[in-house]
Amino acid sequence: MDYRKLGSSDLELSAITYGAFAIGGNMWGGNEKQDSIAAVHASLDHGVTSLDTAPFYGMGLSEELIGEAIKGKNRDKLQLLTKFGLVWDGSNNGKGDYFFDASADGKTFPVYKYASKANIIKELEESLKRLGTDYIDLLQIHWPDSTTPIDETMETLNLLMEQGKIRAAGVCNYDLSQLKEAEKTIQLASNQVSYSMLNRAIEKDIVPYAVEKNMGIIAYSPMERGLLTGKYFKEAKLQSDDHRNGYFGQFSAESVKALLDKIEPIAQNKNASLSQLVLRWTSLQPGISVVLAGARNATQAIENAKAAAVSITADEMKFINDAILEM
């Protein structure tokens, strides 16, 4: 595993960071508690030191599982990354940006993007309790909230850093104008954004800005939620309540399969899996600090962690990039 400094902060994260969205279960066809905890333990045993979660993942379940998994571990050796700003319990009293309707336990309820000072403080205290810790290494706004001034949100994050409750502040899914507005108030450690072989939009403006400002980029969905592993072109099937039944529809299955067929021999020559090659390619792209990789069991977690050791030559990188451009 290699470890990378996150922007201008003093955080050093593992290049492959554990992404804990799926273990929340909601939107992913459920989860198995012991498998989820085993996935976190396996990640830690194989060099992953950074764990990224959020209150919304399983409506608190993901954070609770992370908290249980790290109980008794050396907290100073771990980096806990979580978020705020998605409210599903009605505590926002209708304030904020309506986002979508979520379902859990047979119930449907509205989710709002809401990042007021009071809500940030409330959510942080809840996260600290679930995670069983007294500080968060990186606290991030989950999605932009147009109803709360950006400076109010950023001033709150500055306050939490001054209080020692968080070590660094980041954002997720911010566009260029939002980043510039935020940085009038705070020096951001990172922007967590979607990035993959199939989605390289951030290369146009977000990456150059981040490089110029010494801001980290945390790439999520590098495997497009499993599509780039190739397993869904083979025997793997999705549960009926898995959001990926709709998510995968945005891509041309024929084009994605053709890409994977082209690059799979490179992985095979390295005794690596397609997912390991994809993760490593992503982590080596300019401006990318760390890559989030989800795992629902120990086997997947170990495979993800070992992706950091995969080598890609300049010629192989060119071949992969050309194959992507030909899609």
Side-chain angles (χ1 to χ4, degrees):
M1 183 63 63
D2 59 320
Y3 302 91
R4 300 176 177 178
K5 193 169 181 291
L6 188 67
S8 59
S9 76
D10 63 357
L11 297 181
E12 192 171 73
L13 309 185
S14 49
I16 304 297
T17 289
Y18 183 81
F21 187 5
I23 64 170
N26 188 47
M27 298 174 64
W28 291 84
N31 79 321
E32 293 292 337
K33 178 179 178 179
Q34 293 309 314
D35 283 347
S36 299
I37 291 175
V40 177
H41 287 166
S43 297
L44 298 176
D45 290 343
H46 287 80
V48 172
T49 61
S50 312
L51 310 171
D52 180 88
T53 182
F56 179 71
Y57 301 162
M59 287 66 189
L61 179 59
S62 175
E63 287 186 327
E64 290 172 359
L65 289 171
I66 294 293
E68 185 170 342
I70 65 172
K71 193 173 183 179
K73 303 289 185 182
N74 187 337
R75 178 67 179 87
D76 292 342
K77 301 294 185 182
L78 303 175
Q79 301 85 47
L80 294 180
L81 289 56
T82 195
K83 309 178 186 76
F84 65 86
L86 288 189
V87 180
W88 68 87
D89 61 2
S91 61
N92 59 316
N93 297 313
K95 296 178 181 178
D97 282 325
Y98 169 75
F99 198 10
F100 64 96
D101 284 340
S103 298
D105 300 323
K107 300 178 181 178
T108 300
F109 41 88
V111 178
Y112 288 83
K113 295 179 283 189
Y114 187 49
S116 72
K117 177 179 180 179
N119 186 64
I120 296 169
I121 293 171
K122 169 185 176 292
E123 286 201 54
L124 173 61
E125 293 303 321
E126 293 169 346
S127 292
L128 291 171
K129 183 177 180 180
R130 294 188 196 108
L131 290 164
T133 187
D134 57 3
Y135 71 95
I136 299 298
D137 294 278
L138 179 69
L139 186 63
Q140 309 155 92
I141 181 173
H142 206 150
W143 284 89
D145 163 28
S146 69
T147 71
T148 302
I150 287 177
D151 62 354
E152 177 182 337
T153 301
M154 300 305 144
E155 285 170 2
T156 306
L157 290 173
N158 269 328
L159 174 64
L160 294 173
M161 282 194 285
E162 290 169 3
Q163 294 175 342
K165 292 189 174 183
I166 67 174
R167 291 178 62 195
V171 297
C172 303
N173 305 299
Y174 263 37
D175 63 25
L176 185 59
S177 64
Q178 290 161 338
L179 289 174
K180 290 180 177 179
E181 183 64 27
E183 290 231 301
K184 292 177 181 178
T185 306
I186 196 170
Q187 186 166 21
L188 293 169
S190 59
N191 187 14
Q192 184 177 141
V193 284
S194 178
Y195 181 68
S196 75
M197 290 180 173
L198 308 182
N199 175 16
R200 301 175 68 177
I202 64 168
E203 293 176 359
K204 180 180 179 181
D205 54 5
I206 299 299
V207 169
Y209 181 81
V211 171
E212 176 189 350
K213 296 295 184 178
N214 191 22
M215 182 187 300
I217 292 181
I218 299 174
Y220 74 80
S221 293
M223 293 187 286
E224 290 298 352
R225 310 191 188 192
L227 184 62
L228 289 175
T229 67
K231 65 183 182 182
Y232 293 106
F233 294 107
K234 298 174 183 177
E235 75 287 348
K237 303 295 181 184
L238 296 170
Q239 297 291 328
S240 61
D241 58 345
D242 194 311
H243 76 288
R244 291 174 293 177
N245 285 296
Y247 182 85
F248 288 166
Q250 67 184 292
F251 305 108
S252 163
E254 182 179 354
S255 296
V256 175
K257 187 176 186 305
L259 169 64
L260 297 180
D261 287 344
K262 287 180 182 178
I263 67 174
E264 188 166 23
I266 296 176
Q268 292 173 341
N269 288 339
K270 300 175 184 297
N271 292 316
S273 66
L274 256 177
S275 61
Q276 288 175 323
L277 182 68
V278 169
L279 282 176
R280 188 56 172 159
W281 176 90
T282 311
S283 75
L284 293 173
Q285 297 311 296
I288 302 301
S289 303
V290 301
V291 177
L292 299 186
R296 303 180 73 168
N297 56 54
T299 299
Q300 292 175 352
I302 293 169
E303 182 176 336
N304 290 345
K306 289 184 175 180
V310 173
S311 62
I312 302 177
T313 67
D315 286 344
E316 289 167 339
M317 187 65 79
K318 183 179 185 305
F319 180 89
I320 294 170
N321 290 337
D322 287 346
I324 294 170
L325 291 173
E326 291 168 1
M327 288 184 66

